[in-house]
Amino acid sequence: MNATGAIAAAVVPAAGRGERLGPGAPKALRDLGGVPLLVHAVRALTRSRAVGLVVVAAPADGVAEVVALLDSHGLEGKDIRVVAGGDTRQESVRLGLAAIPAEVGIVLVHDAARPLVPVEVVDAVASAVRAGAEAVVPAVPLADTVKRVEPVRGGPEPVLDTPDRATLRAVQTPQGFRRDTLAEVHAKALAEEEAGAEGGLPPVTDDAGLVERFGGRVVVVPGHEEAFKVTRPLDLVLAEAVLARRRAADAY
């Protein structure tokens, strides 16, 4: 990659409602320590020297609001673009990717709901792609024993087996990709969707999953316990505690 291609751009899909956090504003706009989750997430990306551009895929009817929000929190001097996102996370990533200049060769995809990811995780993901990996995910070992079950609605679920915990990882973001790899798998996924060719395939919940589905190779780098996803009210309580500790230590 040339020098420009070695600088990453990041896509932040932030058009979802996040209903598990309860009624109210979209999840990305919920407050954490008086600042919206989205602002924390974008700041985390801009702290990395590896990231030269951040593209936020906002709710289609909230682009102007998100632009004003980012500007009001001291991010107006950064290279940040806001585009209208889609009805699904996959569509929002695809729309964000389309807004990235063609010469950018590395793309990160980061959840707005992971507001406290440390900069060293962002750097490690970008560095692994720069070193030749086509797809990279940060991940942490599991602390709990995991059971695979047969889903049963409203009743006890039979256990099928217990996977070896040593081989399992909890995946985080940002995930990193060669730009051509990410564009290719999203194009294939869109073609499948338009053709109605689901074929019984399980849903893909992250972009690395698309790379896997279409035969690509994904590698893991160490994640961080503070890069957890704020999904439920208890996660927000934990995030507030982490943020308070950082502020007390002048680390944020």
Side-chain angles (χ1 to χ4, degrees):
M1 294 181 182
N2 59 32
T4 302
I7 298 298
V11 175
V12 182
R17 298 299 307 178
E19 293 177 357
R20 281 176 290 182
L21 263 180
K27 179 166 62 176
L29 303 183
R30 300 293 181 90
D31 273 0
L32 168 60
V35 176
L37 294 175
L38 175 61
V39 173
H40 286 290
V42 171
R43 279 179 178 165
L45 294 167
T46 61
R47 287 191 180 99
S48 172
R49 293 184 178 181
V51 177
L53 166 68
V54 177
V55 178
V56 176
D61 59 354
V63 171
E65 177 187 359
V66 170
V67 169
L69 180 73
L70 295 173
D71 286 350
S72 70
H73 283 86
L75 291 168
E76 70 276 3
K78 306 293 184 178
D79 193 354
I80 300 170
R81 304 176 190 180
V82 181
V83 300
D87 292 332
T88 65
R89 183 185 188 281
Q90 191 168 303
E91 184 180 6
S92 290
V93 172
R94 190 166 65 243
L95 292 168
L97 181 60
I100 296 174
E103 65 269 17
V104 176
I106 298 173
V107 177
L108 310 184
V109 181
H110 184 55
D111 295 331
R114 296 184 189 271
L116 301 176
V117 60
V119 68
E120 57 264 29
V121 175
V122 182
D123 291 343
V125 170
S127 178
V129 180
R130 195 179 303 116
E134 64 177 342
V136 180
V137 297
V140 294
L142 297 183
D144 298 321
T145 296
V146 176
K147 302 288 185 184
R148 194 168 66 89
V149 304
E150 179 181 338
V152 175
R153 185 184 293 264
E157 297 178 321
V159 171
L160 301 177
D161 57 54
T162 304
D164 180 2
R165 189 173 65 188
T167 68
L168 302 175
R169 298 292 183 270
V171 173
Q172 302 174 331
T173 69
Q175 299 182 355
F177 306 89
R178 282 176 35 180
R179 195 249 181 77
D180 56 351
T181 296
L182 187 60
E184 180 182 0
V185 298
H186 270 278
K188 288 180 176 179
L190 180 61
E192 278 191 353
E193 183 181 320
E194 291 176 341
E198 294 183 9
L201 292 173
V204 172
T205 56
D206 67 353
D207 296 275
L210 284 180
V211 175
E212 294 170 48
R213 172 172 288 182
F214 296 112
R217 182 171 183 265
V218 180
V219 299
V220 171
V221 297
H224 195 283
E225 61 183 5
E226 293 181 0
F228 61 89
K229 190 173 186 179
V230 176
T231 302
R232 296 176 175 86
L234 186 59
D235 301 323
L236 196 55
V237 173
L238 178 58
E240 292 279 4
V242 172
L243 182 59
R245 180 183 56 77
R246 287 187 182 183
R247 287 174 171 172
D250 294 325
Y252 196 77

